[in-house]
Amino acid sequence: INCAHWTMVAEKDPLLRSRWQAPTSSFDDMLPFQGLRGVCAMAIFLGHQTDNFLASPFHGQSVVVGLEYLQAVSLFFLLSGIPLVRLYSTPKKFNDWAGTVDFWRKRAARLAPMYYLTLVLNLVAVVLSVEKLDVSATLESFFGCAFLLQTWVPSFFNIGGVLWQVATFAYGYALFPFLSRRLERWSDGVLGFGIAGLWLFSAALWAAILALCPPGPSQDLALLIWHVHCVSRLPQIIAGVLLGALVERWREEPHLNRNRWAIVTDLLSLFLLATAVQAPVRQWMNGTSARLDDSIGMEAVFLPLHALWLAGMVLAYRPEEPERVCCTRVVLSARLLLALGDISLVLYCVHIPVLFAYSMVFAFVTTGDWHLAPTITDYDLRVKAPWWHAPFQWILVLAVSFLVARWFEAPMRKWLSAAGPKSATHSAVEPAPRAAPTQQFGGQAV
């Protein structure tokens, strides 16, 4: 994590500035975002593990412990726009078609290797783990995911699994250059109303499901579609870009009360922690379906709080006194979380196939049959490992994630980023170690 290097680059590069940015574009204030990505990736991994791959020792309970992890998805989408705005949102960055194509190529280099590797691993896991393979449905889902269609057509969801989120990021990156060109023209009020409007649109879709679908399986299915559909998720990415524009304008205000932002951010951290603490209680009293419905509701309703929380992490930073920061910044800047953040994309992608492999081996050792489900649409596994296998699964998933990140994802990203022509503008302003921002922020966003 080389903040000093990228700060030096920003000081020398006039294209990293705009009329609403400070002369120096340091990324020290965004360091907690990398730790937050590590937290979010771990939360999603642990949530999927406890919901689907571990047997509960408690009578009448379908899972070991209920975890609140779906808000991590919304946070991933929202925080992606803030560093992108600082890196790219100047008129000269996308002043020609070549610059836009170069941006898309680098985003594809970031997402494509892990996306397609995971898609192939998911296909292998499904073929080996189901008893009766529907070849037609399997191929339909595989090729639908290969063309990033599962976030528009949820029936393609089965083979892709968690890759729907990466596909949604791809659509957000496709829109970003066109949105970026207009940010300077919009006032703070327009940006704020834009964030509010996008939130209300996404939340209104969720509210319509509750109003129009009767409680039961049909409503649960509709809420799942809302959770994975591009129509409800793409507005969150766009809202993150608008939030990034606001943060860039406010962060160098001479009269900005950073102590107040620190207090607000820490209070919001306590509130969000409380939403996590309630999940096990809700699970114990009302079951998995009620907990997940509540979690999706918090995704839809809490976007303004998430936006305020993320903005506060940046605005609470004191460049002249970096040691005087809010507690949230201190926690999320811990070395362990930063290391997790650096592999968050890999961890997010590979944890499902690794957990499937572990479960198949366990099923074969204990029953002599490695099959886990009758068909690809049966999500309740035939055999689950006991709860005390959880630490072994943690070690395995994290070890595989670090190895894949080092020996596959990073080399492929660097190779693909270096390949292909560059526009004259970009070749003049982008130094050779361009991978520094990706290492800085980790995860999906940069």
Side-chain angles (χ1 to χ4, degrees):
I1 304 164
N2 196 342
C3 298
H5 164 75
W6 195 247
T7 299
M8 178 184 66
V9 172
E11 290 171 348
K12 295 179 179 179
D13 186 354
L15 295 188
L16 290 181
R17 308 169 192 156
S18 71
R19 64 178 176 82
W20 41 271
Q21 284 182 320
T24 299
S25 296
S26 169
F27 293 95
D28 293 350
D29 54 350
M30 293 189 184
L31 188 60
F33 286 174
Q34 182 172 340
L36 179 59
R37 287 191 180 93
V39 171
C40 290
M42 278 298 297
I44 293 171
F45 157 46
L46 294 175
H48 288 157
Q49 179 197 35
T50 54
D51 278 358
N52 301 293
F53 294 94
L54 293 177
S56 174
F58 305 113
H59 179 70
Q61 289 293 319
S62 59
V63 300
V64 179
V65 60
L67 298 179
E68 167 51 42
Y69 61 95
L70 296 186
Q71 287 185 73
V73 178
S74 294
L75 286 169
F76 265 133
F77 287 135
L78 192 59
L79 69 85
S80 66
I82 302 176
L84 279 181
V85 168
R86 186 173 299 181
L87 282 169
Y88 293 102
S89 288
T90 64
K92 295 182 181 179
K93 279 291 181 179
F94 301 116
N95 66 338
D96 58 10
W97 183 248
T100 299
V101 172
D102 189 58
F103 170 80
W104 287 339
R105 179 175 58 82
K106 290 181 177 179
R107 298 307 94 208
R110 178 60 177 160
L111 298 183
M114 282 309 307
Y115 183 91
Y116 288 104
L117 172 65
T118 306
L119 185 60
V120 171
L121 293 176
N122 287 351
L123 177 64
V124 173
V126 167
V127 170
L128 294 178
S129 64
V130 301
E131 297 174 356
K132 298 177 181 179
L133 182 66
D134 187 335
V135 177
S136 176
T138 301
L139 291 177
E140 181 183 74
S141 177
F142 177 81
F143 285 108
C145 293
F147 290 98
L148 311 182
L149 297 178
Q150 74 272 38
T151 190
W152 295 101
V153 185
S155 61
F156 295 151
F157 176 80
N158 292 313
I159 300 299
V162 298
L163 293 179
W164 69 267
Q165 183 181 351
V166 184
T168 305
F169 270 111
Y171 290 111
Y173 290 147
L175 289 177
F176 178 74
F178 306 104
L179 182 63
S180 176
R181 297 169 184 170
R182 294 164 174 78
L183 293 178
E184 280 194 322
R185 308 174 192 173
W186 294 336
S187 66
D188 292 3
V190 170
L191 294 173
F193 277 113
I195 295 172
L198 291 165
W199 163 58
L200 290 174
F201 173 77
S202 181
L205 295 176
W206 166 78
I209 292 172
L210 296 183
L212 299 178
C213 296
S218 61
Q219 186 182 90
D220 291 342
L221 177 61
L223 289 174
L224 175 63
I225 293 174
W226 179 94
H227 175 72
V228 303
H229 207 284
C230 208
V231 171
S232 56
R233 292 305 194 172
L234 202 55
Q236 297 178 349
I237 296 179
I238 299 173
V241 174
L242 302 185
L243 177 64
L246 279 177
V247 169
E248 289 303 289
R249 296 182 184 185
W250 293 349
R251 69 187 182 95
E252 293 295 339
E253 287 290 332
H255 303 296
L256 181 67
N257 192 328
R258 300 184 186 275
N259 287 334
R260 184 175 299 171
W261 276 106
I263 294 172
V264 170
T265 303
D266 287 340
L267 290 176
L268 286 173
S269 297
L270 294 176
F271 175 79
L272 295 175
L273 184 61
T275 67
V277 171
Q278 63 81 34
V281 179
R282 179 68 159 153
Q283 168 74 44
W284 186 270
M285 296 179 61
N286 303 107
T288 303
S289 179
R291 171 177 60 83
L292 291 176
D293 288 349
D294 288 352
S295 187
I296 292 176
M298 287 186 281
E299 283 190 279
V301 174
F302 286 173
L303 186 140
L305 298 181
H306 294 157
L308 190 63
W309 189 51
L310 295 175
M313 289 186 204
V314 178
L315 299 178
Y317 176 71
R318 292 175 174 268
E320 71 283 357
E321 298 177 288
E323 70 279 359
R324 294 185 60 184
V325 294
C326 65
C327 296
T328 303
R329 288 186 56 87
V330 173
V331 172
L332 292 178
S333 298
R335 289 182 179 272
L336 176 60
L337 297 184
L338 295 178
L340 289 174
D342 201 43
I343 63 163
S344 59
L345 173 61
V346 180
L347 173 59
Y348 176 82
C349 288
V350 305
H351 73 272
I352 291 293
V354 172
L355 289 174
F356 261 104
Y358 188 100
S359 297
M360 283 189 287
V361 171
F362 178 80
F364 182 77
V365 170
T366 55
T367 68
D369 182 3
W370 63 75
H371 295 109
L372 297 176
T375 69
I376 63 173
T377 58
D378 293 304
Y379 301 115
D380 190 13
L381 303 186
R382 179 180 67 88
V383 178
K384 297 181 180 181
W387 64 270
W388 52 268
H389 281 241
F392 303 114
Q393 294 179 347
W394 300 342
I395 294 171
L396 181 62
V397 169
L398 290 175
V400 171
S401 298
F402 276 107
L403 290 174
V404 171
R406 178 166 184 177
W407 298 109
F408 175 78
E409 190 274 334
M412 286 294 295
R413 167 168 44 85
K414 292 177 182 178
W415 179 70
L416 292 173
S417 296
K422 292 186 178 181
S423 67
T425 299
H426 277 65
S427 62
V429 301
E430 291 192 3
R434 186 56 174 168
T438 302
Q439 295 170 354
Q440 166 68 28
F441 295 115
Q444 292 105 307
V446 189

